[in-house]
Amino acid sequence: VQSIVFNISAFQNTRVIGVAGFENKTVKPFKDENAGYVVANQISQELQSYNKYRVIPPPRESEDVRLQITATPPPANQENYKATGQGERDHSSDVLPYSNKKVDAVLIGAVTRYMDSHVNRQGEIKKSISSGVEFGAYLVNVKTGDVIWGARFVGTQTPNIRGFLEGNTHWLSKEELSRSAMKKVLKAFHDKKSQ
């Protein structure tokens, strides 16, 4: 897990988080049509276990929303950004899945790998005993449009030698592995929040 806070003040003041369906960037032959929604829903459920936040779960249809993160608005859209009294930009015309009146930040992301199969030597897709998950998640301040926290997870299940020798190895499905990944990502999130 790689986790970084870009704006510590905005990060610490975030209380209400809207979770958007993650963009599904899995590709054939291992494309999983539900990967974006499943991972976003899992991170939403894990966030709800922390009673510091009010979490709005991802709507099923928001998975296809494409959000582009930019440091400054494109010149053609400059008139859509009006300065507010605190020197922040007004993003009310931006395409965010939640109104900035309802949430402090929106959690967006993309899933690039979500699989539990492999291609054998004959070119056939077969079920694997292990799975692989890769995704990125970003917490975006809805008032400024700035990314205030980001994390990336890349992982596969590695066998526990001791468990293997004792016959206690349990191979995780891609759903179980991504849920385990959420716990690690949000542990990093919570640890950074506590600093």
Side-chain angles (χ1 to χ4, degrees):
V1 175
Q2 297 170 329
S3 174
I4 187 167
V5 175
F6 297 103
N7 182 328
I8 191 71
S9 175
F11 183 69
Q12 290 178 336
N13 290 320
T14 299
R15 297 288 177 261
V16 183
I17 300 171
V19 180
F22 283 21
E23 189 174 347
N24 185 352
K25 292 191 168 200
T26 59
V27 295
K28 291 183 179 184
F30 305 111
K31 185 159 185 72
D32 185 312
E33 296 298 329
N34 295 316
Y37 177 74
V38 170
V39 172
N41 196 45
Q42 287 176 334
I43 203 165
S44 173
Q45 290 172 359
E46 287 299 319
L47 265 175
Q48 289 173 356
S49 69
Y50 295 99
N51 47 3
K52 289 184 175 185
Y53 311 108
R54 182 169 165 256
V55 179
I56 300 171
R60 182 69 169 137
E61 64 278 354
S62 77
E63 180 174 326
D64 293 328
V65 172
R66 304 286 190 255
L67 297 177
Q68 185 175 15
I69 300 169
T70 58
T72 57
N77 293 334
Q78 287 288 342
E79 67 276 359
N80 292 334
Y81 297 89
K82 300 170 228 136
T84 65
Q86 292 91 21
E88 296 175 340
R89 296 178 307 224
D90 178 2
H91 285 251
S92 58
S93 62
D94 288 2
V95 184
L96 284 174
Y98 296 100
S99 161
N100 59 9
K101 294 177 181 130
K102 294 181 184 176
V103 297
D104 300 321
V106 63
L107 188 66
I108 63 171
V111 181
T112 51
R113 190 171 74 167
Y114 192 74
M115 56 189 267
D116 55 6
S117 54
H118 70 282
V119 177
N120 68 13
R121 292 182 183 175
Q122 291 76 33
E124 302 166 327
I125 298 174
K126 297 289 184 180
K127 184 94 167 142
S128 293
I129 57 172
S130 68
S131 51
V133 175
E134 183 176 320
F135 65 88
Y138 306 93
L139 190 63
V140 180
N141 183 307
V142 294
K143 291 181 182 159
T144 65
D146 295 333
V147 176
I148 56 178
W149 171 82
R152 178 169 163 75
F153 177 86
V154 177
T156 57
Q157 182 181 3
T158 54
N160 177 329
I161 299 298
R162 183 175 177 192
F164 183 74
L165 294 174
E166 295 173 359
N168 295 329
T169 300
H170 169 70
W171 292 99
L172 302 176
S173 69
K174 58 189 174 185
E175 292 85 4
E176 292 169 325
L177 180 60
S178 61
R179 182 158 310 277
S180 172
M182 288 310 145
K183 292 182 186 304
K184 291 176 184 175
V185 166
L186 290 178
K187 181 181 183 320
F189 182 91
H190 182 67
D191 290 349
K192 298 238 184 240
K193 193 80 162 175
S194 300
Q195 293 176 351

